Amino acid sequence: MEQNKLREETLIASADTDDLKRVFQDRKRTNILNNLEQQTLSFLVTRIPSYISSNILTFLGTIGSVLVLVGFVLANYLDRSYLLIGIFGLALNWFGDSLDGRIAYYRNIPRKWYGFSLDIIMDWVSTVMIGLGYMVYAKNKYELIAFVFVVLYGWAMIISQLRYKITDVYTIDSGLVGPTEIRIILALIFVVEVVFGGLIGYFAGIICITLFFINILDTRKLLKLGDIRDAIERNAKKKAA
C-alpha cells in the first residue's frame, strides 16, 4: 500500500515537473532575474484559477499600463505621490504579461502565433501609454524624452522580432536586462521622484541614452546573425544544385 502511494506521488511530481518545463519552452531568457522570475512564475501558474484565461491575464497586464498612465496624470494635476500608483500598475503589468502565455503552456492549450501576435501588440500599446503618461507629467523640454523613449523601446521590440525570424529562437532580453528589470528600474525611479521631486527627467534621459547604445549593439549583432543565416542558405542552395 505504501509503495503504491509512493509510486503515485512520484508520478504526480513527475507530471508536474513536465508541465512546468513546458511553461518556459517557447523562449530563451538571459535576464539577471531569470531564475527568480521562473521560480515565481512556476509557483503562480499552478495556483491561477481555471476560470482565469490567458486573454484575461493579457487584459490585466494592459490595465496595469493604464494605471501607470493614470498615476502620471494624477501626479501632474494633484500631487506627485500619485506616482506610486504606477508601481502597482507595473506590478500588475508584469503579472498579466508574464503569465498570459505561461498559463496557456502550463494548461497545454497554447496558441503560439495568436499569443505571440497579441503579446507584441499589447506590449506596444503598453509602451505608448507609459510614454504618454510621462509626457503629461514632464515639464518643458523633458516632454520630448517620452517620444524618444517610445521610439527606442519600439526599436528594441523590432530587433527582438527580427532576431526571432533569423534564428528561430525567441528572446525578449538584451543581455542581463529584460522587461522585468526595466519595470523594477521604473518603479525605483517613481519612488525617488516622489521623495525628492524634479529628478525623473534626468533618469528618463539616462534610460534613453542607455537604450540607444544597447539598441546599437543589438542591431550590430542582429546584422551579423543575418549575414550568417544568408551564408548558410547560400551554401545549402549550392549543395542542393
Side-chain angles (χ1 to χ4, degrees):
M1 181 72 72
E2 291 182 359
Q3 289 181 343
N4 290 336
K5 184 178 180 180
L6 180 61
R7 187 180 299 111
E8 182 179 344
E9 291 176 349
T10 301
L11 290 173
I12 292 174
S14 177
D16 288 342
T17 300
D18 291 339
D19 288 340
L20 291 175
K21 285 181 179 179
R22 189 167 60 240
V23 167
F24 304 104
Q25 69 181 8
D26 68 322
R27 64 184 58 178
K28 179 183 178 182
R29 300 301 306 273
T30 61
N31 59 314
I32 194 171
L33 295 175
N34 177 41
N35 290 334
L36 178 60
E37 188 173 19
Q38 287 199 2
Q39 291 172 11
T40 304
L41 293 176
S42 296
F43 174 83
L44 291 173
V45 293
T46 61
R47 289 161 177 82
I48 299 293
S50 59
Y51 58 82
I52 296 181
S53 65
S54 293
N55 285 344
I56 291 176
L57 289 167
T58 300
F59 176 74
L60 288 176
T62 305
I63 291 297
S65 299
V66 173
L67 288 177
V68 177
L69 170 60
V70 170
F72 272 124
V73 173
L74 293 178
N76 181 62
Y77 291 106
L78 298 178
D79 186 87
R80 68 172 182 261
S81 61
Y82 282 101
L83 281 175
L84 297 178
I85 294 175
I87 297 177
F88 176 73
L90 290 169
L92 185 60
N93 178 260
W94 172 86
F95 180 83
D97 187 45
S98 299
L99 280 169
D100 53 1
R102 305 310 101 216
I103 200 72
Y105 276 95
Y106 178 73
R107 294 171 180 172
N108 204 21
I109 52 171
R111 290 185 288 176
K112 180 178 178 180
W113 297 114
Y114 168 89
F116 174 77
S117 302
L118 180 62
D119 192 51
I120 295 303
I121 292 171
M122 299 318 297
D123 280 351
W124 177 245
V125 170
S126 294
T127 301
V128 170
M129 283 192 290
I130 293 172
L132 178 61
Y134 175 74
M135 183 175 289
V136 171
Y137 180 79
K139 302 295 189 299
N140 302 323
K141 58 186 178 181
Y142 293 111
E143 294 177 355
L144 181 62
I145 295 178
F147 171 76
V148 174
F149 171 77
V150 171
V151 170
L152 290 173
Y153 203 85
W155 182 3
M157 290 176 65
I158 291 172
I159 291 172
S160 176
Q161 311 322 306
L162 291 174
R163 184 165 51 223
Y164 185 25
K165 174 66 176 179
I166 293 172
T167 66
D168 294 323
V169 177
Y170 186 45
T171 175
I172 58 176
D173 304 319
S174 180
L176 297 177
V177 178
T180 300
E181 286 74 17
I182 291 177
R183 291 186 186 99
I184 292 174
I185 291 171
L186 289 176
L188 291 174
I189 290 174
F190 290 163
V191 172
V192 172
E193 178 67 11
V194 168
V195 174
F196 298 103
L199 296 177
I200 195 169
Y202 299 106
F203 284 119
I206 292 171
I207 288 176
C208 287
I209 292 171
T210 304
L211 272 176
F212 175 77
F213 285 107
I214 289 175
N215 285 348
I216 289 292
L217 293 174
D218 283 349
T219 298
R220 292 185 61 186
K221 293 177 183 177
L222 178 69
L223 293 175
K224 288 181 180 179
L225 290 171
D227 199 29
I228 293 171
R229 176 75 179 260
D230 286 337
I232 292 173
E233 291 184 355
R234 282 196 300 269
N235 291 332
K237 287 182 180 179
K238 288 179 181 180
K239 290 181 179 179

